[in-house]
Amino acid sequence: AQKVTQAQTEISVVEKEDVTLDCVYETRDTTYYLFWYKQPPSGELVFLIRRNSFDEQNEISGRYSWNFQKSTSSFNFTITASQVVDSAVYFCALRGFPSNTGKLIFGQGTTLQVKP
Amino acid sequence: DSGVTQTPKHLITATGQRVTLRCSPRSGDLSVYWYQQSLDQGLQFLIQYYNGEERAKGNILERFSAQQFPDLHSELNLSSLELGDSALYFCASSPYSASTGELFFGEGSRLTVL
């Protein structure tokens, strides 16, 4: 069975602090894809990143960075110098491969509140 | 803008009623997915259609049904509504049945059952 766990339900930080959102996954597939989505207060789901299981290089995009470690089945997300606009619910998701479906399995989400 | 359109954006109805949520996928996408987001259940996969046929089923209640039409738009029908069905219902699309890329989500339909 596939599972995604985001143990942090809510995180509150003050603007300009760095914050890391944890994601741990379970899958028996040797090939799989991991995703992060952002859900701002307006409610839509915004795609942030996709990573396949064969690419363990960390990725940086502006203030966002992702750390993928197969050894610990983790795909953590760090926001550097957080801003109020980063306040949102963040979801980690998993898809196994091969599969007859493209559905994503989501974690429960982490609510990030960035205070001014 | 993801290119996925969902209507209505908000819907308020009473217990026991039936509603239909509509989704138009991105141009060219053949797969449509339905997800339910409630406060205590997170984002739960309900069902996937690919080119008009059911492809995968998740934790979808028997009171719920869906279909995908020849023009590829999809409808999610919720009947005998209960208070617990109040949630945000998302539709997503992807090009293929088992795409490896991201899913593109609509803005959701917020259902309130009173």
Side-chain angles (χ1 to χ4, degrees):
Chain A
Q2 299 180 333
K3 185 178 179 182
V4 177
T5 301
Q6 296 179 254
Q8 304 152 308
T9 305
E10 293 184 18
I11 301 176
S12 181
V13 300
V14 177
E15 209 170 18
K16 297 184 183 177
E17 285 186 19
D18 299 347
V19 57
T20 296
L21 310 182
D22 297 334
C23 173
V24 174
Y25 61 91
E26 297 174 28
T27 180
R28 293 179 182 174
D29 294 325
T30 53
T31 302
Y32 48 89
Y33 296 86
L34 296 163
F35 302 80
W36 276 94
Y37 280 83
K38 174 182 180 180
Q39 185 178 36
S42 51
E44 74 273 22
L45 284 165
V46 178
F47 166 74
L48 295 177
I49 190 172
R50 180 192 76 149
R51 177 52 52 88
N52 74 57
S53 54
F54 293 105
D55 182 3
E56 289 195 69
Q57 281 191 345
N58 291 333
E59 180 154 343
I60 299 174
S61 176
R63 296 184 296 107
Y64 294 173
S65 62
W66 290 269
N67 180 265
F68 175 35
Q69 292 196 342
K70 286 180 76 169
S71 60
T72 56
S73 297
S74 65
F75 185 42
N76 297 335
F77 174 31
T78 297
I79 302 175
T80 303
S82 60
Q83 300 176 1
V84 173
V85 293
D86 296 325
S87 297
V89 182
Y90 291 87
F91 290 95
C92 181
L94 167 70
R95 177 194 291 135
F97 185 85
S99 172
N100 67 342
T101 170
K103 71 178 184 183
L104 298 181
I105 305 299
F106 283 88
Q108 290 294 96
T110 297
T111 299
L112 173 64
Q113 183 181 32
V114 181
K115 299 178 180 177
Chain B
D1 183 2
S2 67
V4 178
T5 304
Q6 288 188 247
T7 57
K9 286 188 168 39
H10 300 277
L11 190 56
I12 301 174
T13 188
T15 54
Q17 296 298 305
R18 172 190 169 95
V19 299
T20 297
L21 309 180
R22 181 187 169 102
C23 169
S24 293
R26 287 190 327 156
S27 177
D29 283 357
L30 299 178
S31 267
V32 170
Y33 308 76
W34 286 98
Y35 282 82
Q36 179 192 54
Q37 184 182 20
S38 52
L39 282 176
D40 58 347
Q41 293 286 335
L43 273 163
Q44 296 291 316
F45 169 72
L46 295 179
I47 197 164
Q48 175 197 359
Y49 277 82
Y50 172 70
N51 205 19
E53 295 189 1
E54 182 182 305
R55 182 52 58 106
K57 211 167 187 176
N59 300 322
I60 187 168
L61 300 173
E62 286 191 8
R63 299 183 287 108
F64 296 180
S65 64
Q67 54 183 326
Q68 186 180 26
F69 295 86
D71 67 352
L72 301 178
H73 91 271
S74 177
E75 292 181 357
L76 178 67
N77 300 295
L78 315 175
S79 62
S80 302
L81 286 167
E82 302 175 358
L83 295 177
D85 297 327
S86 295
L88 187 54
Y89 291 86
F90 283 105
C91 169
S93 74
S94 69
Y96 312 112
S97 171
S99 300
T100 58
E102 67 269 30
L103 298 187
F104 297 88
F105 283 84
E107 294 185 348
S109 292
R110 184 170 296 281
L111 172 66
T112 302
V113 182
L114 301 176

